[in-house]
């Protein structure tokens, strides 16, 4: 097996020799296996390994990037030569510089990002689990069509080397499985949903029975869903939907959206942007969690960052360039969010539903409809109608709309059901001030 | 993974794009690769015909019915401008081979980025594992075919132009947006270009190569007034080269359109909600056709009986004024291809004729399962993916109404102009997200609106289309399905929908 770290270190030296002032190399290797099953048969079987290298060079405060899946020395050197030449055409920008060397806060090993079980799991087991997932799904007669079930494993190594003396790597692994189906009584009015699970180790995946049962529950409860009339009511976001709201929040916190003013949160550090009950954290140092990593793609150690504290905006998600632009410090988020979550409350989901006289329990959305510049949201919605604290009939073909800035100030209750199996994750939320459009 | 079941359509750069580059400053990495000529197969493929045949035989060694090699070399570049300076430039090389084995409708797939016989053979063995007998099928001798279409502008591919000339393009687009109005506070512009060399060889003896340029120049502009901020976007491009920007689409106009949208949005309100008459403007509304018609008519969802359209061939599924086709053979268009990613010549495929469903978008497996002809719609994102049925340029045919007359016919309704994108699931339920629109009152456009989502079920909405304009416009997009992104366009005239739910704030 080729030694990526060694190739990266040599390439840094080569680039320096060719005139680069600063160099950063990212290299990676990945092996993956995926099987999809439909109607009891294997439908797709995919297995492959691949490698890739990307590089950034800075010369006279001018930057140039490159990437290659061809790791031959000739190609890599030529890419460096081209990048050094090409850098003269970009503009001088003192904010383009490598981050200073910092000590890691956690060792790659202590994060438990890699588990041997993933590499060792025989394909037959993965196929068997896939078949079992679908079999359980279809054993419920209300489910009419399988959209397939599957199992995937992925493991590999990530390497970061730069000319400031950073050279490190870590191994990672993940296993996941899923099952999706359609339910309904009328061929022209079917509904689809399903469930999936992901873990760093084979043994940490939920049992197939549990995954398939959740999938069944999520899809059959939509059968017969109807449109309702347009109105303003409280919306209970189940924890998957609350997580997608949180994903939109993350996209409004990236440094590149802040310094370009393409976020409604630009310039709001220190301001109250959410209710007192809202605390949002990004923490890359939690062992075995899906978003954990010891350092980001620039070699900046990850850490626990408070983003919103009791409603006050404390920090953004920054790489070193946007940090320099904003006169702040990199938060170790050059590779995006790590484990990004809302601090859970203590109310169980069913108590939140009970507290609502009339409203929507939102379980699925469709469409883009999020605008970071303004914070506006508008999406197609599916869910269950709440009357007097009880779930009644399913609803579909409606939309919900509003503004994330307003929503953050109108979260009435926070659930206790934070799902640590997802990297961007929120408990169930009861949100006021959103509109529903239907008939 | 995670059973990505939805299909979406995004304007702007999709995931993966945007990080790419230019060869301009230097020379090309792999020499040769002379474009489109009639050469046997591209020079980046380091195997002889005999070696390829041997590999195809390995693919059949476990009892597969069909094996296929896909070689790809893609060189791409991007340059980006922001805050008045040229901020980024990059160059990307993607080189690799994918190997597919088909057994019935089952797919085995392997790929590698090491172009050695042993590595590709390993990929062939991974793919062969989809079958489990000890077949001894042999592949046919390979015969070189030349694509009959020549649909791309290969005169001055941008990948081969110098960096300076590309910087001039994005700078003039940038300046046009920035200087459009004092309320424009932030602008960015970027250009992306690629040249993709593909060679496909299969066990039926096909050997075909294609060299495909792709480029796109996009501008994003943010306007600010009274603490309100909005962003507008516009882009132009296709399978074209430098001449496109010099002769057809002036970068200045691209910049102005982005700025214009941002300024309009400053005065935009949220639309009144609920069911109403909806008029879709010509420029970008093809996204509705893409979601409501295109995806549900891709072969896979139909032979698997997952799509709402699977049992409707020959039936009326739309108002009789509606005719829809997907034409991958329009010169220079972003979605066009000489051959698809299975090596099949592309076609103009009728989908709905005067309201009647007449065809599906077929890849090799789908055609066989449906007992239809292949029609050149098997596409893949890269050598890391196996082909699946996809759209190319999906178009609703022109009608006979003057667009003015359509707007004038509406007492009260919603006029949609630009979109963030759309999404549909197999059941035909779709949304599209409107970035900019206007309200119509008494046959006239009144105030601008934003932040609206239109939602419906495809067979209902297609029957509600009751007026079609004699104009037409195209939307450049990137379509995502099962984790694979491919470039597409979609086109429509101005059209009226009698009744559709508009979502916004009450």
């Amino acid at each position: 097996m080729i030694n990526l770290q060694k190739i990266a270190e040599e390439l840094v030296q080569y680039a320096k020799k060719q005139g680069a002032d600063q160099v950063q190399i990212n290299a990676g290797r990945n092996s993956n296996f995926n099987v999809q099953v439909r109607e009891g048969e294997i439908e797709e079987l995919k297995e492959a390994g691949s490698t890739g290298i990307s590089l950034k060079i800075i010369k006279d405060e001018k930057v140039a990037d490159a990437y290659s899946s061809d790791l031959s020395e000739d190609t890599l050197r030529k890419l460096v030569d081209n990048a050094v030449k090409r850098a003269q055409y970009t503009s001088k920008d003192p904010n383009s510089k490598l981050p200073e060397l910092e000590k890691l806060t956690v060792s790659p090993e202590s994060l438990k990002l890699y588990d041997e079980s993933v590499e060792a799991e025989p394909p037959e087991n993965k196929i068997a689990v896939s078949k079992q997932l679908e079999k359980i799904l279809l054993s419920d007669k209300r489910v009419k069509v399988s959209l397939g079930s599957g199992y995937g494993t992925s493991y590999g190594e990530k390497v970061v080397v730069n000319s400031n003396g950073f050279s490190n790597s870590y191994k990672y692994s993940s296993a996941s499985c899923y099952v999706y189906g359609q339910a309904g009584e009328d061929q022209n009015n079917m509904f689809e949903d399903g469930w999936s699970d992901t873990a760093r180790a084979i043994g940490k995946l939920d049992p197939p029975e549990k995954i398939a049962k959740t999938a069944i529950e999520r899809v059959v409860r939509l059968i017969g869903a109807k449109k309702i009339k347009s109105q303003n009511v409280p919306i209970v976001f189940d924890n998957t939907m609350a997580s997608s709201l949180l994903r939109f929040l993350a996209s409004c916190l990236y440094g590149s959206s802040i310094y370009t003013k393409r976020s409604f949160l630009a310039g709001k550090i220190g301001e109250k942007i959410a209710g007192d009950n809202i605390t949002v954290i990004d923490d890359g140092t939690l062992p075995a969690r899906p978003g954990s990593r010891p350092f980001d793609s620039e070699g900046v150690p990850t850490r626990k960052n408070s983003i919103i504290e009791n409603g006050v905006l404390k920090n953004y998600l920054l790489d070193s360039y946007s940090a320099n632009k904003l006169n702040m410090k990199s938060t170790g988020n050059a590779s995006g969010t790590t484990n990004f979550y809302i601090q859970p409350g203590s109310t169980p989901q069913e108590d939140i539903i009970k507290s609502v006289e009339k409203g929507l329990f939102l379980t699925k959305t469709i469409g883009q409809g999020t605008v970071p510049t303004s914070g506006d949201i508008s999406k197609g919605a599916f869910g269950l109608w709440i009357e007097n604290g009880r779930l009644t009939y399913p609803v579909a073909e409606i939309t919900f709309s509003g503004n994330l800035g307003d929503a953050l100030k109108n979260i009435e209750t926070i659930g206790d059901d934070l799902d640590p199996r997802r990297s961007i994750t929120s408990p169930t939320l009861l949100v006021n001030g959103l509109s529903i459009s239907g008939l | 993974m995670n059973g990505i079941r939805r299909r979406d359509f995004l304007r702007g750069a999709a995931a993966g794009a945007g990080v790419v580059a230019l060869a301009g400053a230097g020379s090309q990495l792999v020499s040769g690769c002379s474009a489109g000529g009639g050469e046997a197969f591209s020079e980046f493929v380091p195997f002889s015909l005999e070696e390829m045949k041997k590999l195809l035989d390995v693919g059949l060694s476990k009892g597969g019915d069909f094996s296929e090699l896909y070689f790809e070399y893609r060189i791409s570049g991007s340059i980006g401008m922001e805050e008045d300076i040229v901020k980024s430039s990059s160059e990307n090389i993607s080189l690799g081979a994918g190997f597919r084995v088909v057994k019935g409708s089952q797919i085995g797939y392997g790929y590698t980025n090491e172009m050695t016989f042993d590595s590709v053979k390993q990929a062939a063995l991974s793919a062969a594992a989809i079958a489990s007998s000890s077949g001894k099928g042999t592949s046919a001798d390979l015969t070189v075919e030349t694509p009959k279409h020549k649909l791309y502008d290969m005169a001055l591919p941008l990948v081969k132009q110098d960096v300076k000339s590309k910087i001039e393009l994005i700078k003039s687009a940038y300046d046009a947006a920035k200087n459009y109005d004092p309320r424009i506070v932030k602008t960015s512009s970027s250009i992306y270009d690629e040249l993709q060399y593909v060679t496909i060889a299969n066990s039926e003896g096909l050997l075909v190569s294609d060299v495909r340029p792709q480029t796109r120049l996009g501008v994003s502009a943010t306007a600010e007034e009274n603490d309100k901020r909005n962003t507008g976007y516009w882009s132009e491009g296709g399978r074209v080269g430098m001449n496109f920007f010099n002769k057809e689409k002036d970068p200045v106009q691209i910049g102005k359109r982005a700025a214009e949208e941002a300024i309009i949005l400053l005065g935009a309100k949220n639309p009144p909600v609920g069911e109403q008459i909806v008029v879709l403007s010509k420029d970008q509304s093809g996204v509705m056709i893409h979601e409501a018609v295109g995806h549900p008519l891709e072969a896979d969802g139909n032979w698997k009986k997952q799509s709402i359209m699977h049992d409707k061939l020959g039936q009326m599924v739309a108002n009789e004024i509606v005719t829809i086709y997907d034409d991958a053979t329009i010169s220079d268009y972003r979605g066009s291809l000489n051959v698809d990613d299975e090596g099949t010549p592309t076609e103009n495929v009728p989908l709905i004729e005067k309201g009647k469903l007449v065809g599906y978008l077929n890849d090799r497996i789908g055609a066989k399962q449906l007992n239809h002809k292949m029609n050149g719609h098997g596409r893949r994102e890269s050598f890391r993916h196996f082909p699946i049925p996809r759209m190319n340029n999906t178009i609703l045919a022109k009608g006979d109404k003057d667009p003015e007359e359509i707007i004038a016919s509406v007492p009260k309704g919603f006029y949609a102009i630009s979109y963030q994108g759309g999404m549909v699931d197999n059941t035909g339920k779709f949304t599209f997200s409107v970035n900019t629109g206007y309200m119509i009152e008494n046959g006239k456009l009144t105030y601008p609106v934003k932040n609206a989502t239109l939602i419906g079920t495809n067979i209902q909405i297609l029957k509600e289309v009751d007026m079609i304009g004699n104009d037409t416009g195209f939307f450049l997009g990137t379509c995502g399905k099962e984790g694979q992104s491919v470039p597409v366009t979609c086109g429509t005239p101005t059209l009226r929908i009698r009744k559709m739910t508009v979502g916004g704030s009450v």
Side-chain angles (χ1 to χ4, degrees):
Chain A
M1 201 156 60
I2 50 169
N3 184 335
L4 287 175
Q5 199 162 340
K6 191 158 158 268
I7 292 179
E9 283 169 357
E10 284 169 4
L11 210 53
V12 167
Q13 293 314 315
Y14 177 77
K16 294 273 287 185
K17 219 170 70 195
Q18 296 309 109
D21 299 330
Q22 294 192 308
V23 193
Q24 175 186 304
I25 310 283
N26 294 76
R29 115 173 59 242
N30 176 269
S31 299
N32 61 71
F33 173 96
N34 289 289
V35 59
Q36 177 158 303
V37 162
R38 196 178 58 85
E39 294 181 355
E41 297 274 344
I42 296 173
E43 181 172 54
E44 298 163 10
L45 195 62
K46 193 170 170 183
E47 187 173 17
S50 61
T51 45
I53 280 194
S54 62
L55 62 97
K56 179 206 285 284
I57 71 111
I58 301 166
K59 184 176 161 64
D60 304 330
E61 300 184 329
K62 297 170 170 189
V63 67
D65 295 286
Y67 166 82
S68 182
S69 74
D70 175 3
L71 301 196
S72 65
E73 193 178 9
D74 277 2
T75 300
L76 293 176
R77 291 192 165 197
K78 192 109 191 195
L79 277 174
V80 168
D81 296 346
N82 285 350
V84 171
K85 275 187 233 158
R86 203 167 61 244
Q88 66 182 300
Y89 295 104
T90 26
S91 316
K92 237 185 195 344
D93 185 349
N95 298 302
S96 289
K97 58 185 178 204
L98 297 184
E100 312 237 319
L101 192 59
E102 276 181 79
K103 263 187 101 115
L104 296 188
T105 50
V106 286
S107 74
E109 296 71 34
S110 69
L111 279 180
K112 299 185 166 59
L113 304 178
Y114 173 81
D115 191 278
E116 286 170 352
S117 63
V118 172
E119 198 169 337
E121 184 75 353
E124 304 82 71
N125 294 6
K126 305 176 203 177
I127 293 165
V129 169
S130 302
K131 288 185 173 172
Q132 195 188 352
L133 282 166
E134 191 195 43
K135 198 170 164 192
I136 301 170
L137 177 82
L138 291 174
S139 70
D140 190 302
K141 293 299 157 217
R142 295 167 296 178
V143 178
K144 297 291 189 323
V145 179
S146 164
L147 293 172
S149 59
Y151 199 119
T153 50
S154 162
Y155 59 89
E157 184 189 16
K158 288 191 179 167
V159 176
V160 181
V161 176
N162 74 24
S163 57
N164 276 2
F166 188 90
S167 179
N168 213 329
S169 72
Y170 62 91
K171 286 170 84 178
Y172 62 89
S173 63
S174 82
S176 56
C177 55
Y178 62 87
V179 59
Y180 284 77
Q182 289 179 347
E185 272 136 25
D186 169 3
Q187 155 63 25
N188 288 331
N189 194 23
M190 301 290 278
F191 297 90
E192 57 188 51
D193 208 344
W195 195 242
S196 65
D197 192 25
T198 306
R200 296 264 181 204
I202 299 288
K204 293 281 163 60
L205 283 172
D206 274 340
E209 293 81 5
K210 189 174 168 193
I211 295 164
K213 238 188 98 187
T214 308
I216 292 168
E217 190 198 341
R218 291 187 76 87
V219 62
V220 302
R221 66 184 174 192
L222 295 175
I223 296 174
K226 55 186 184 188
K227 246 186 201 184
I228 48 170
K229 66 174 207 284
S230 306
Q231 55 197 296
N232 287 337
V233 287
I235 300 181
V236 178
F237 285 70
D238 86 353
N239 62 3
T240 62
M241 293 299 102
S243 301
S244 84
L245 199 65
L246 197 61
R247 190 166 303 116
F248 177 35
L249 174 64
S251 73
C252 301
L253 288 164
Y254 284 120
S256 57
S257 310
I258 302 300
Y259 77 77
T260 56
K261 294 193 172 182
R262 295 222 169 95
S263 164
F264 75 101
L265 294 173
K268 297 268 167 76
I269 289 281
E271 286 183 30
K272 193 93 182 344
I273 59 151
D276 293 338
N277 55 352
I278 303 298
T279 290
V280 175
I281 288 162
D282 185 67
D283 187 353
T285 65
L286 302 166
R289 292 275 288 269
S292 300
R293 55 179 90 97
F295 47 85
D296 70 6
S297 59
E298 295 182 306
V300 175
T302 53
R303 58 204 79 188
K304 180 173 179 175
N305 289 309
S306 252
I307 305 297
I308 300 175
E309 235 174 73
N310 302 322
V312 177
L313 182 62
K314 290 288 183 186
N315 215 337
Y316 296 123
L317 300 167
L318 303 173
D319 60 1
S320 61
Y321 181 81
S322 56
N324 293 340
K325 291 287 292 183
L326 296 164
N327 248 330
M328 295 172 75
K329 282 199 65 170
S330 168
T331 54
N333 290 104
S335 321
T337 52
T338 62
N339 299 295
F340 185 75
Y341 62 95
I342 294 188
Q343 195 78 55
S346 55
T347 317
Q349 187 186 77
E350 51 182 275
D351 290 355
I352 296 180
I353 292 167
K354 266 184 208 155
S355 74
V356 176
E357 200 186 303
K358 198 170 89 163
L360 175 68
F361 178 52
L362 181 73
T363 64
K364 179 178 159 169
T365 61
I366 180 170
Q368 293 86 10
T370 51
V371 185
T373 308
S374 58
D376 288 337
I377 315 170
S378 176
K379 280 172 178 284
F382 299 79
L384 296 159
W385 191 245
I386 309 173
E387 285 283 355
N388 300 319
R390 292 197 12 224
L391 297 176
T392 58
Y393 52 86
V395 294
E397 228 183 290
I398 58 168
T399 71
F400 77 92
S401 316
N403 183 278
L404 181 61
D406 297 338
L408 288 171
K409 292 175 182 152
N410 285 293
I411 298 176
E412 192 177 310
T413 317
I414 300 173
D416 64 353
D417 52 348
L418 189 77
D419 181 359
R421 312 172 79 82
R422 290 163 207 266
S423 61
I424 296 184
T425 183
S426 164
T428 296
L429 300 175
L430 170 55
V431 186
N432 291 316
L434 299 170
S435 308
I436 288 171
S437 317
L439 293 169
Chain B
M1 269 320 307
N2 284 349
I4 301 155
R5 283 285 139 209
R6 291 171 184 175
R7 290 81 200 268
D8 59 14
F9 182 93
L10 289 172
R11 73 175 190 177
V19 217
V20 233
L22 64 164
S27 52
Q28 260 205 281
L29 281 165
V30 175
S31 57
C33 302
S34 57
E39 76 270 38
F41 50 90
S42 302
E43 287 171 31
F44 70 91
V45 178
F47 305 120
S48 66
L49 293 186
E50 291 69 34
E51 285 172 315
M52 284 197 267
K53 184 171 157 27
K54 248 182 227 166
L55 289 165
L56 291 166
D57 286 342
V58 170
L60 299 177
S61 64
K62 298 268 172 62
D65 308 327
F66 173 80
S67 63
E68 173 188 74
L69 269 161
Y70 179 84
F71 297 103
E72 181 187 25
Y73 170 66
R74 188 194 303 237
I75 180 160
S76 57
S78 73
I79 310 176
M81 197 172 158
E82 192 181 84
E83 301 184 308
D84 301 344
I85 60 173
V86 178
K87 238 182 207 185
S88 61
S89 86
S90 66
E91 177 182 35
N92 276 10
I93 302 294
S94 181
L95 174 68
F99 202 105
R100 176 170 70 146
V101 173
V102 178
K103 167 88 180 164
S105 64
Q106 297 175 287
I107 301 163
Y109 200 73
Y111 62 85
T112 178
N113 57 333
E114 282 175 44
M115 295 285 256
T116 60
F117 187 85
D118 284 349
S119 289
V120 180
K121 188 177 166 189
Q122 185 51 49
L125 285 168
S126 298
I130 191 66
S132 52
S133 59
S134 55
K136 44 178 184 273
T138 52
S139 59
D141 287 336
L142 292 167
T143 313
V144 178
E145 279 181 30
T146 307
K148 64 173 177 165
H149 298 305
K150 294 240 179 315
L151 300 170
Y152 322 134
D153 173 6
M154 294 297 294
L156 296 166
L158 270 131
V159 163
K160 298 188 178 176
Q161 303 310 303
D162 64 34
V163 181
K164 266 197 269 180
S165 61
K166 289 189 264 191
I167 290 176
E168 275 166 30
L169 292 178
I170 55 171
K171 193 164 183 317
S172 61
Y174 182 96
D175 290 344
K178 188 186 170 182
N179 301 328
Y180 180 82
D181 189 290
R183 289 169 291 178
I184 299 292
V185 291
K186 286 279 175 180
T187 303
S188 61
S189 67
S190 64
I191 192 160
Y192 169 81
D193 55 60
E194 72 173 38
L195 208 49
Q196 181 200 30
Y197 299 79
V198 303
T199 291
I200 301 150
N202 72 31
S203 57
E204 293 176 359
L206 174 78
L207 177 60
V208 65
S209 298
D210 196 14
V211 184
R212 305 160 172 172
Q214 183 71 266
T215 187
R216 187 172 193 174
L217 194 165
V219 179
S220 169
T222 301
E224 186 177 280
E225 189 175 44
N226 303 328
D227 210 29
K228 275 209 302 192
R229 273 200 299 266
N230 288 289
T231 300
Y233 177 82
W234 194 256
S235 74
E236 296 285 357
R239 297 202 182 273
V240 293
M242 204 62 172
N243 285 336
F244 178 78
F245 296 110
N246 289 341
K247 295 179 182 163
E248 285 176 54
K249 297 286 178 184
D250 183 356
V252 169
Q253 296 308 319
I254 303 172
K256 279 186 178 168
R257 287 213 59 165
E260 181 188 36
E261 184 178 15
I263 295 294
I264 291 171
L265 282 168
L266 281 179
K269 302 180 198 166
N270 289 312
V273 301
E275 289 184 338
Q276 49 199 286
I277 300 174
V278 172
V279 177
L280 306 181
S281 81
K282 73 174 166 67
D283 281 335
Q284 299 193 359
S285 302
V287 63
M288 196 272 279
I289 301 309
H290 178 95
E291 302 302 340
V293 180
H295 280 301
L297 293 181
E298 289 163 336
D300 48 356
N302 288 290
W303 71 260
K304 294 177 190 176
K305 300 187 172 26
Q306 294 167 341
S307 165
I308 187 167
M309 303 301 245
H310 83 263
D311 56 353
K312 296 187 171 55
L313 198 63
Q315 293 179 23
M316 291 298 286
V317 294
N319 189 330
E320 62 186 16
I321 60 172
V322 174
T323 288
I324 295 169
Y325 53 96
D326 191 295
D327 188 357
T329 69
I330 310 173
S331 285
D332 301 348
Y333 271 45
R334 179 172 166 83
S336 296
L337 290 174
N338 290 333
V339 291
D340 73 2
D341 293 316
E342 300 181 314
T344 309
T346 51
E347 294 177 25
N348 177 2
V349 179
L351 298 171
I352 292 175
E353 257 169 22
K354 295 183 178 165
K356 191 162 93 175
L357 179 58
V358 295
Y360 296 123
L361 297 166
N362 298 330
D363 62 339
R364 173 177 282 272
I365 291 175
K368 198 153 193 190
Q369 294 297 315
L370 290 165
N371 211 4
H372 290 186
K373 270 180 36 207
M374 291 194 283
N375 54 27
H377 282 279
R379 300 184 66 183
R380 54 181 125 198
E381 182 182 305
S382 77
F383 70 90
R384 295 184 177 84
H385 306 87
F386 55 76
I388 51 177
R390 301 300 292 263
M391 282 170 264
N392 292 67
N393 305 302
T394 317
I395 300 157
L396 191 144
K398 277 184 208 180
D400 56 358
K401 294 279 184 286
D402 183 339
E404 301 283 325
E405 182 190 340
I406 297 177
I407 293 169
S409 75
V410 179
K412 196 164 187 297
F414 179 81
Y415 181 64
I417 297 179
S418 74
Y419 304 86
Q420 283 180 45
M423 198 180 272
V424 67
D425 70 14
N426 298 285
T427 68
K429 293 175 183 67
F430 70 92
T431 61
F432 44 111
S433 304
V434 177
N435 211 42
T436 324
Y438 276 88
M439 291 317 296
I440 309 175
E441 272 163 35
N442 301 320
K444 291 204 166 59
L445 300 185
T446 56
Y447 59 91
V449 293
K450 59 167 189 166
N451 190 30
T453 292
L454 305 185
I455 187 162
T457 298
N458 65 345
I459 47 174
Q460 282 162 9
I461 297 301
L462 288 171
K463 288 179 177 166
E464 300 290 348
V465 173
D466 67 348
M467 289 175 92
I468 299 179
N470 56 14
D471 52 350
T472 200
F474 279 84
F475 190 11
L476 308 189
T478 298
C479 171
K481 174 179 168 185
E482 289 166 24
Q484 296 197 44
S485 293
V486 296
V488 296
T489 73
C490 44
T492 50
T494 299
L495 58 92
R496 190 177 96 149
I497 298 167
R498 260 185 302 236
K499 194 175 78 176
M500 186 166 191
T501 294
V502 176
S505 300
V506 174

